[in-house]
Amino acid sequence: MNDPIRPITLALATALIAFTCWEPAAAQDADEVDADPRIGLGAGLFDAEEAIWNLRKLKSVPPPEAFVGSTNSDLAFIDNYAIQGNYNGIQIWDITDPADPQISVEYVCPASQSDVSVYENLLFVSGEGMGGRLDCGTEPIRERVSHERLRGIRIFDITDIHNPNYVANVQTCRGSHTHSVLKDPDDDENVYVYVSGSAPVRPAEEVPGCSGLSPDEDPNTALFRIEVIKVPLADPTQAQIVSSPRIFEDLVEPPRHGPSVADIEEREAAIAAGAFVADIFGQTWIVPDGLVRQMLNQMVEAREGEGPPTAADSSKLRESISIMLVERFGLSNEEDEGEEDGPRPGPTQCHDITLYPEIGLAGGACEGYGLLLDIEDPVNPKRIDAVADSNFSYWHSATFNNDGSQILFTDEWGGGGGPKCRKNDPMEWGANAIFTLEDKKMQFKSYYKLPAAQSSQENCVAHNGSLIPIPGRDIFVQAWYQGGISISDWTDPENPFEIAYHDRGPVSAENMRMAGSWSVYWYNGAIYSSEIARGLDVFELTPSDYLTENEIAAANSVVLDHLNAQGQPTFHWPATFSLARAYVDQLERSGDLLTDEIAAVRQALDAAEAAEGADRSSALTELATSLDAGAKKVQLLADVVRDLGM
């Protein structure tokens, strides 16, 4: 199906869900409940039933009072701190003991989405919504034009992390939905911020030079570009936009799929029950009763009527509700304007741009396309490849594997606010797409989607995650909103599979309520999940048939000083006996060494570790020599053993 579908923003999805009174389809059949422990979990906000496999939950901590009921967004890490964005500001957790996170800072500064990143003593926070204030005030701005509005990047000095100092901001024409921080290896004086803004273009009266016209009408339009901000490390108050690369040039709108069987069934059931249905940018939304009542009352007020809404009011609302919602939530459909002949243009912005400076590449998840970017010149990123897929609705985020030979994109079908992991939803929709990189071209290999069907009360779709540094393997921990978190192995890009998970039941058994894991990342031995409604969850890996104790220990030998959601470091493993044994475990699993060879290597490692000084060095050198000229992973083992002997 090639019907164009434009994704609804999470802000609209959240607003619609906040009004929800519609009761969706019933939960899964009994035979499904028996198939997977995640299916049929009991509902609750802080007391939902949970299912966990090959993980240990260390702690769940609820949000501080000032952030309860407000959406938790992304995470960043520096030293022993986790910084959690929230639509109401930022929370800084002391994670010195991952099993007992302690809140260190509650900084109220409302703005959506408040995605966060760090570099040295600087903290960057995204703001995109219309209500955010420059002064971090809590009274939202409602005027169409206001010079008090913040839409862009806030910059904090966190030299004293317990007392963030708001030192600067950079305003952009479309705000900052997300952003990426780039430290150029050849530039020690500046750090660069790539801004992805997806909101409507703000008026020129508010920020001079902002234009939402098509490129043929205004070559300086704020559409079809990203922003690059240069931040002088010595004086971040001088941060400014230094370029606006038009990385979408010549892209045309890709083919998209239509609604799934589950969407159609739910829409028909809603209409039969008398619900109001809105079709917005090709996506169907069942409008909650609470919002319908509010809109009907506003129609009565607009015509200066008295009493309850009439049948005529209801009929008029059914005819115009789609347009009214677009206007109400400030959505933009500027791609439709001015297009009379030929193919429609492609995306006007990216959602996420994952930067991997050590390989000079970035992955741009840009609405209808996945882009591969050359970032050798940080001020002037260049598109070197672009892929589209009719199974993808909204290219949301990207992750490279450690050696840069593969890239994984996520598809946020439904905008994060819809249940897209139901029994009748295709496994290729709202999934991950895995590509290999061959001569800097992306070659599709396979899809991976959460394998356990979720209910219609659970917003569930692919979202943010990170690599776990298991040596020699590509292991990905990923958030799926109310689908929980899933850890998958995509070492073989054509055959990804799940190796661990955690999931909760829905917030409500009757109605859709926004919750679930927004993002989840491995950081220095623990796994941290930002739960939209429930706070912060912390996990650790446990040994299983898919992951050995040695592999986990080798991963935990990797120590990072910071981690950003859209900034990817290269993992380097110190030479340890755990690393050597991890490779032995993998060789046993793959069958690349015979059983007696595995036993001999393990015995030799045990003996060498028990020895000291010259005896240890001699034993390790002898073992390394015996392993030389083996297969690739055997050679990796030989190199580690040789390093241990030095």
Side-chain angles (χ1 to χ4, degrees):
M1 290 177 285
N2 296 335
D3 297 334
I5 294 180
R6 283 172 181 74
I8 298 299
T9 64
L10 182 61
L12 173 58
T14 302
L16 290 176
I17 290 168
F19 284 94
T20 298
C21 293
W22 165 253
E23 296 186 8
Q28 308 301 317
D29 296 334
D31 58 342
E32 290 182 90
V33 175
D34 295 335
D36 190 296
R38 287 168 283 188
I39 299 174
L41 292 170
L45 181 56
F46 295 110
D47 59 350
E49 290 182 344
E50 300 181 43
I52 193 166
W53 178 57
N54 296 338
L55 287 171
R56 180 182 296 110
K57 189 170 78 169
L58 300 179
K59 192 77 170 182
S60 291
V61 286
E65 184 176 352
F67 300 90
V68 172
S70 183
T71 297
N72 284 317
S73 56
D74 226 330
L75 294 167
F77 303 86
I78 188 163
D79 299 328
N80 291 323
Y81 296 92
I83 303 171
Q84 186 175 30
N86 179 284
Y87 279 35
N88 212 28
I90 55 174
Q91 306 150 86
I92 301 180
W93 299 90
D94 185 330
I95 54 172
T96 303
D97 179 1
D100 189 24
Q102 298 293 317
I103 192 69
S104 292
V105 175
E106 301 175 41
Y107 197 108
V108 174
C109 185
S112 65
Q113 301 182 136
S114 294
D115 277 4
V116 290
S117 293
V118 291
Y119 183 75
E120 293 184 348
N121 66 321
L122 298 178
L123 166 65
F124 304 93
V125 184
S126 283
E128 183 181 56
M130 306 302 173
R133 304 181 62 94
L134 285 168
D135 62 5
C136 286
T138 56
E139 183 64 30
I141 294 171
R142 305 187 188 280
E143 297 82 7
R144 174 181 172 273
V145 175
S146 173
H147 296 293
E148 302 303 316
R149 177 175 284 123
L150 179 284
R151 291 179 63 197
I153 297 290
R154 302 187 197 268
I155 303 175
F156 294 83
D157 185 323
I158 53 170
T159 301
D160 177 0
I161 198 167
H162 300 98
N163 295 286
N165 182 22
Y166 184 11
V167 296
N169 63 75
V170 179
Q171 299 270 40
T172 65
C173 289
R174 301 187 72 175
S176 173
H177 192 71
T178 65
H179 68 269
S180 315
V181 172
L182 173 59
K183 171 59 177 68
D184 180 8
D186 298 323
D187 183 353
D188 292 330
E189 297 182 355
N190 305 286
V191 66
Y192 298 86
V193 180
Y194 287 15
V195 177
S196 299
S198 57
V201 178
R202 62 206 303 181
E205 304 97 292
E206 189 169 279
V207 175
C210 291
S211 167
L213 297 174
S214 62
D216 58 341
E217 295 176 284
D218 183 354
N220 296 315
T221 177
L223 306 179
F224 302 98
R225 74 187 194 193
I226 62 172
E227 316 295 345
V228 178
I229 297 171
K230 182 167 75 172
V231 184
L233 295 174
D235 186 3
T237 65
Q238 298 303 306
Q240 61 181 321
I241 296 171
V242 292
S243 69
S244 299
R246 298 195 178 279
I247 59 175
F248 312 105
E249 187 175 6
D250 300 326
L251 293 178
V252 298
E253 184 178 61
R256 309 276 184 101
H257 61 72
S260 71
V261 171
D263 284 332
I264 295 170
E265 290 174 347
E266 188 169 354
R267 183 182 190 277
E268 291 176 348
I271 292 173
F276 284 68
V277 174
D279 293 306
I280 304 174
F281 301 159
Q283 185 169 320
T284 297
W285 286 85
I286 300 165
V287 184
D289 291 347
L291 182 55
V292 169
R293 286 194 296 271
Q294 185 184 99
M295 297 176 77
L296 284 171
N297 290 334
Q298 289 171 348
M299 292 176 69
V300 173
E301 293 176 6
R303 63 176 171 80
E304 298 181 352
E306 296 181 358
T310 65
D313 292 324
S314 179
S315 178
K316 183 177 179 180
L317 181 61
R318 288 185 188 276
E319 293 175 358
S320 58
I321 194 167
S322 298
I323 295 173
M324 292 173 68
L325 285 173
V326 168
E327 294 173 348
R328 180 187 182 100
F329 292 103
L331 298 176
S332 171
N333 198 19
E334 70 274 338
E335 294 95 330
D336 285 338
E337 299 173 3
E339 293 301 317
E340 298 179 356
D341 301 309
R344 293 153 53 97
T348 70
Q349 73 278 325
C350 285
H351 185 280
D352 280 24
I353 302 174
T354 296
L355 307 172
Y356 198 172
E358 290 199 50
I359 64 172
L361 296 176
C366 305
E367 290 194 325
Y369 282 86
L371 306 185
L372 188 65
L373 305 175
D374 182 328
I375 57 171
E376 293 287 353
D377 177 357
V379 176
N380 298 294
K382 293 179 173 56
R383 187 180 88 228
I384 54 180
D385 196 21
V387 291
D389 184 344
S390 61
N391 283 324
F392 259 44
S393 173
Y394 192 67
W395 298 69
H396 180 275
S397 56
T399 301
F400 293 90
N401 67 346
N402 195 57
D403 67 9
S405 63
Q406 298 178 183
I407 187 169
L408 177 154
F409 288 96
T410 68
D411 174 20
E412 194 187 34
W413 172 36
K420 302 300 184 183
C421 302
R422 298 158 296 187
K423 177 182 177 181
N424 290 332
D425 288 324
M427 293 299 286
E428 298 84 5
W429 298 5
N432 301 335
I434 300 170
F435 298 80
T436 55
L437 296 182
E438 301 171 22
D439 296 324
K440 295 189 176 180
K441 297 293 182 182
M442 294 180 282
Q443 303 294 327
F444 173 77
K445 295 300 177 181
S446 68
Y447 299 106
Y448 171 82
K449 187 173 182 177
L450 186 74
Q454 303 291 301
S455 72
S456 292
Q457 291 83 9
E458 295 170 285
N459 54 300
C460 173
V461 76
H463 215 234
N464 295 350
S466 76
L467 291 182
I468 299 176
I470 304 297
R473 298 173 67 185
D474 300 329
I475 306 294
F476 187 56
V477 59
Q478 181 177 8
W480 292 81
Y481 289 121
Q482 284 198 80
I485 67 173
S486 173
I487 300 179
S488 59
D489 183 326
W490 53 300
T491 310
D492 177 356
E494 295 183 346
N495 296 287
F497 58 93
E498 187 174 51
I499 65 172
Y501 63 70
H502 172 264
D503 190 18
R504 288 184 173 93
V507 172
S508 168
E510 293 80 28
N511 304 315
M512 172 74 78
R513 294 286 184 264
M514 277 293 289
S517 180
W518 175 292
S519 57
V520 60
Y521 305 107
W522 180 96
Y523 181 72
N524 293 347
I527 292 169
Y528 299 86
S529 170
S530 179
E531 223 289 353
I532 289 172
R534 297 171 171 120
L536 185 72
D537 294 323
V538 189
F539 305 89
E540 65 179 7
L541 294 165
T542 58
S544 68
D545 291 342
Y546 303 99
L547 209 57
T548 69
E549 185 175 352
N550 292 316
E551 288 176 299
I552 296 170
N556 293 348
S557 71
V558 175
V559 178
L560 305 175
D561 58 13
H562 77 284
L563 180 69
N564 290 320
Q566 296 181 52
Q568 196 164 328
T570 297
F571 295 135
H572 300 282
W573 292 267
T576 63
F577 280 94
S578 292
L579 178 60
R581 292 187 175 105
Y583 284 135
V584 176
D585 293 344
Q586 292 172 11
L587 289 166
E588 180 179 40
R589 186 184 295 124
S590 65
D592 286 343
L593 285 182
L594 300 176
T595 301
D596 58 344
E597 292 175 318
I598 293 290
V601 172
R602 285 178 172 152
Q603 184 177 10
L605 284 171
D606 290 344
E609 188 174 21
E612 296 180 355
D615 289 340
R616 172 182 286 188
S617 296
S618 177
L620 290 168
T621 300
E622 182 179 346
L623 176 58
T625 301
S626 70
L627 294 168
D628 279 337
K632 181 179 179 181
K633 190 152 287 186
V634 176
Q635 191 57 55
L636 288 173
L637 171 60
D639 292 342
V640 173
V641 171
R642 185 171 286 104
D643 289 343
L644 282 169
M646 292 181 178

